[in-house]
């Protein structure tokens, strides 16, 4: 069983910064893609950024230049550095894992996809 746990959210003034973390746990052999998404009240959940096992990063146009995704393979942790926060960045931020290679108790390996964390709230005051 793979679990993702986000942390680092909070209340911050506009112009401030936050660093979100997402730690994956379980019998993980490797992680193909990790992503950050966000969902504001009344809105759909939108992609913010992704990073591959080869450290290739992609960003939504709305956050380019302000958000930086990174990872620590040894810790199975992905980070989202958010700078120059704006009130419109207020949302619940979720991380998601795909193509996660897992070792089962029997010793076999399998891939699992679409694993979500519980989310962390980011609130930006003006």
């Amino acid at each position: 069983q793979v679990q993702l746990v986000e942390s680092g959210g909070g209340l911050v003034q506009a112009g401030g910064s936050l660093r979100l973390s997402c730690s994956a746990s379980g019998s993980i052999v490797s992680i193909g893609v990790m992503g950050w998404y966000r969902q504001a009240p009344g809105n759909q959940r939108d992609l913010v950024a992704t990073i591959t096992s080869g450290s290739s990063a992609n960003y939504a146009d709305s956050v380019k230049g302000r958000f930086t995704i990174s990872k620590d393979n040894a810790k199975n942790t992905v980070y989202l550095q958010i700078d120059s926060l704006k009130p419109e960045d207020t949302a619940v931020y979720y991380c998601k894992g795909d193509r996660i290679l897992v070792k089962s108790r029997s010793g076999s390996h399998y891939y699992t996809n679409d694993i979500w964390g519980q989310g962390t709230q980011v609130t930006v005051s003006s």
Side-chain angles (χ1 to χ4, degrees):
Q1 194 83 348
V2 175
Q3 289 188 322
L4 302 181
V5 177
E6 301 97 332
S7 61
L11 173 64
V12 64
Q13 287 188 331
S17 298
L18 280 176
R19 188 193 195 204
L20 309 183
S21 299
C22 172
S23 295
S25 62
S27 299
I28 297 170
V29 177
S30 63
I31 300 176
V33 182
M34 292 286 284
W36 284 98
Y37 295 72
R38 66 183 180 183
Q39 187 170 21
N43 289 0
Q44 64 182 17
R45 192 172 297 186
D46 294 324
L47 174 68
V48 173
T50 60
I51 188 165
T52 68
S53 57
S55 297
S56 176
N58 285 287
Y59 299 91
D61 288 342
S62 60
V63 305
K64 283 181 180 177
R66 297 191 299 121
F67 289 27
T68 304
I69 190 169
S70 62
K71 64 188 178 76
D72 184 332
N73 290 331
K75 296 181 179 179
N76 283 331
T77 298
V78 64
Y79 305 98
L80 187 69
Q81 177 69 37
I82 311 175
D83 298 319
S84 302
L85 276 156
K86 304 176 181 180
E88 52 263 43
D89 294 320
T90 295
V92 178
Y93 285 70
Y94 299 89
C95 68
K96 184 167 93 81
D98 288 292
R99 296 207 308 271
I100 301 174
L101 184 60
V102 181
K103 184 177 181 180
S104 70
R105 291 183 179 180
S106 67
S108 63
H109 293 77
Y110 64 93
Y111 282 98
T112 188
N113 295 288
D114 205 35
I115 305 298
W116 291 89
Q118 84 289 349
T120 185
Q121 176 71 47
V122 172
T123 303
V124 184
S125 62
S126 57

